[in-house]
Amino acid sequence: MTRSFEQLVAEAEDVPVDGWDFSWLDGRASEQRPSWGYQRTMSERLARATAALDLQTGGGEVLAEAPKLPPLTVATEAWPPNVAKATALLHPLGVAVVADSDEPPLPFADASFDLVTSRHPVTVWWREIARVLQPGGTYLSQHVGPASVFELVEYFLGPQPEETRRQRHPEDARREAVDAGLDVVDLRFETLRTAFFDVGAVVYFLRKVIWMVPGFTVDRYRDRLRELHEQITRDGPFVARTTRFLIEARKPA
């Protein structure tokens, strides 16, 4: 039975959005994954590390999937609901979760970790990452790239200026890492396909990824959401391009 606009929106408004688990979107949206397999690559590095830091861990879901963790593993998170969720998930695995405001300095001594990881960090404080890495240590991360899902952003906000579209460019990340004293040993970029199959998936996504359409609420964008519902019903999924890049940077020994 086809659900109405009001039913889809109400359901998406009620579901909790804490953590970084997007399983609620199963069957309602699809996202092509990068070819490098961040989860697998991160897990391989964690298995060889002795002291690791996962920055902006969200609800800890990505870190918790690693089969083997280093003897010392620490995760940071800024948003209180995520801190609570990550603590409940990661403490039984021996991971210390630190509530951190995501502003410099990181609450760790110099040269504390031989591996620092982060999946989709909102901000990257390169000099702090370099400071807490041991000589020879590695930063491994998958970042959101420039103009990611901007078809959806511009549907609600209109055309964005070029300087906004270029933010999060991988070459900027390379330059900032080098400026912080790190050697970039791997940098890979891909453009991928994301599809939203109903308007409820869009509402959930924008409630969860709050920086995509700042200040998003259903009431504020109800008319535009209704038009989107009619478009998807008539034409099929709303398709957007997702950009991702993998960056690996090493602190000189």
Side-chain angles (χ1 to χ4, degrees), residues 154-171:
E154 294 185 333
Y155 179 86
F156 291 97
L157 300 181
Q160 298 296 292
E162 186 57 32
E163 58 267 27
T164 300
R165 298 184 63 86
R166 197 191 181 284
Q167 290 173 359
R168 300 175 175 273
H169 197 282
E171 289 303 325

Side-chain angles (χ1 to χ4, degrees), residues 55 106 109-113 116 124-139 176-183 249-252:
L55 295 171
L106 286 168
D110 297 357
S112 292
F113 304 98
V116 176
V124 183
W125 304 104
W126 286 103
R127 293 192 182 279
E128 280 299 287
I129 290 167
R131 182 183 66 79
V132 301
L133 276 173
Q134 299 170 4
T138 295
Y139 173 73
E176 291 164 5
V178 170
D179 287 348
L182 301 174
D183 297 327
R250 190 167 299 142
K251 186 171 181 176

